[in-house]
């Protein structure tokens, strides 16, 4: 138990040291500078995820009814 506590304290100390050394940000790798407004592009598309919790729809009815089977 004591070893586990010391390990957690050491990890916390390392993360805190990185936080202080990076000027208040936690970042191990260099981040890319933000793109200028003129360089930004709109990415069109349908950006959502389906899972086994998503509904299926019975299209034989009007309007289609959701089915969670």
């Amino acid at each position: 138990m004591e070893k586990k506590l010391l390990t957690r304290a050491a990890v916390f100390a390392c993360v805190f040291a990185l936080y202080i050394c990076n000027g208040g940000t936690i970042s191990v790798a260099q981040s890319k500078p933000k793109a200028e407004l003129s360089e930004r592009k709109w990415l069109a598309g349908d950006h959502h995820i389906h899972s086994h919790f998503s509904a299926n729809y019975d299209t034989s009815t009007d309007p289609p009814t959701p089915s969670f089977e």
Side-chain angles (χ1 to χ4, degrees):
M1 182 72 174
E2 186 176 325
K3 185 176 181 180
K4 195 176 203 180
L5 183 62
L6 288 175
T7 303
R8 288 182 181 179
V11 169
F12 175 77
C14 290
V15 171
F16 186 71
L18 282 173
Y19 179 77
I20 296 300
C21 291
N22 287 326
T25 59
I26 296 176
S27 175
V28 177
Q30 288 285 345
S31 62
K32 295 180 181 178
K34 289 187 177 180
E36 297 294 325
L37 290 177
S38 61
E39 296 176 4
R40 294 182 181 183
K41 292 188 277 183
W42 177 263
L43 297 176
D46 191 4
H47 307 285
H48 69 275
I49 298 172
H50 287 270
S51 72
H52 64 278
F53 297 109
S54 301
N56 294 319
Y57 286 90
D58 179 8
T59 56
S60 65
T61 61
D62 189 26
T65 54
S67 170
F68 294 98
E69 295 176 3

